[in-house]
Amino acid sequence: MSDIATNVIVDGTLNTLIAASVVTWGLILIKGVQHIRISYHNRRYNKEFWSAPNIQAAAHLENQDGPAARVAGIGFSTLIETDGGASTHDLEHTWDRQELLDRRLRQQMQKERGSLESGLAVLATIGSISPFVGLFGTVWGIMGALTNISKTGSASLEVVAGPIGEALIATAVGIAVAVPAVVGYNFFIRRNKVVWAFLDDFAIDFVHLALKSSFIIERAGSKPASAAASARLTDVSGGKKSNIKDTHEELIAKEAHA
């Protein structure tokens, strides 16, 4: 085993670990910014949604972004699509309104989940294999050092300490790369569960509100189809002036007494 081959393999291992560290910190930064933006947009939309006077007004909130807004957007577009009875005769429209709404909301939530989980497999892989990559570099370096000792016939401290000490650096670097990757992976998995739970609750509440308004959502700028429909859109709480948040609290109270 030549010194050149040993140096190339050990240096290649260190360079690989450094590249993995750059990828790890890059993903941590990207996912961190992503979750900050998601939290901001979800809080903003949730506040504006439940402060809307009725579900009709909530359907036309402008300049909204984030997972909750996209889930609601799919729900509203589904209700508008099925308003007045769909003339389309395909498998997708064989569901009734509530079933189609549930299906569309779940599909959008799965898309949001895929976006949240993107990049986490890379963090998990780096956190799992980095110590072993570092150990590989260390073992190879020690093998080279022992080969040189056998060739020189000297086992003095000066001959052994230098090469073996350099080889052990690879293990230390591997551990240093793995720790932030594992911590970042666990942190973002926890954050994803929080976001997913929020979206799940939001979707359930959305279906309840749609059911309470008889799945009627008017297109922007159009007139209500009837006086009864107009009354339902203007006052989803049963005739008193309120907002969607009051209706949400009524739904919770009814479920508690049921």
Side-chain angles (χ1 to χ4, degrees), residues 59-227:
H60 302 297
L61 293 175
E62 298 180 351
N63 301 322
Q64 299 297 331
D65 197 7
R70 288 190 288 270
V71 169
I74 289 295
F76 287 128
S77 64
T78 301
L79 294 178
I80 292 173
E81 176 186 333
T82 58
D83 185 30
S87 59
T88 306
H89 300 287
D90 54 19
L91 284 177
E92 185 175 14
H93 293 86
T94 57
W95 312 78
D96 63 30
R97 286 186 176 185
Q98 183 170 351
E99 290 174 337
L100 182 59
L101 179 61
D102 285 335
R103 180 171 178 268
R104 293 275 182 85
L105 291 177
R106 289 293 170 184
Q107 287 176 339
Q108 183 61 35
M109 289 170 64
Q110 289 299 329
K111 292 179 182 178
E112 299 298 335
R113 187 172 191 169
S115 176
L116 288 171
E117 293 179 349
S118 63
L120 295 186
V122 177
L123 286 179
T125 301
I126 292 175
S128 299
I129 70 173
S130 290
F132 299 103
V133 173
L135 184 60
F136 169 77
T138 295
V139 170
W140 199 277
I142 291 175
M143 288 172 57
L146 294 176
T147 300
N148 291 335
I149 291 173
S150 65
K151 289 180 180 178
T152 59
S154 174
S156 62
L157 183 63
E158 293 80 5
V159 175
V160 175
I164 293 180
E166 292 176 358
L168 290 173
I169 293 176
T171 297
V173 173
I175 295 173
V177 172
V179 169
V182 172
V183 172
Y185 174 81
N186 291 332
F187 174 79
F188 291 123
I189 284 292
R190 172 58 184 165
R191 288 298 308 164
N192 287 354
K193 290 180 179 179
V194 172
V195 176
W196 180 256
F198 170 80
L199 291 179
D200 191 54
D201 291 340
F202 182 82
I204 293 173
D205 291 338
F206 186 95
V207 173
H208 286 172
L209 286 172
L211 181 62
K212 192 174 180 66
S213 65
S214 301
F215 299 100
I216 296 177
I217 296 292
E218 296 293 333
R219 299 178 187 273
S222 64
K223 296 180 180 180
S226 65

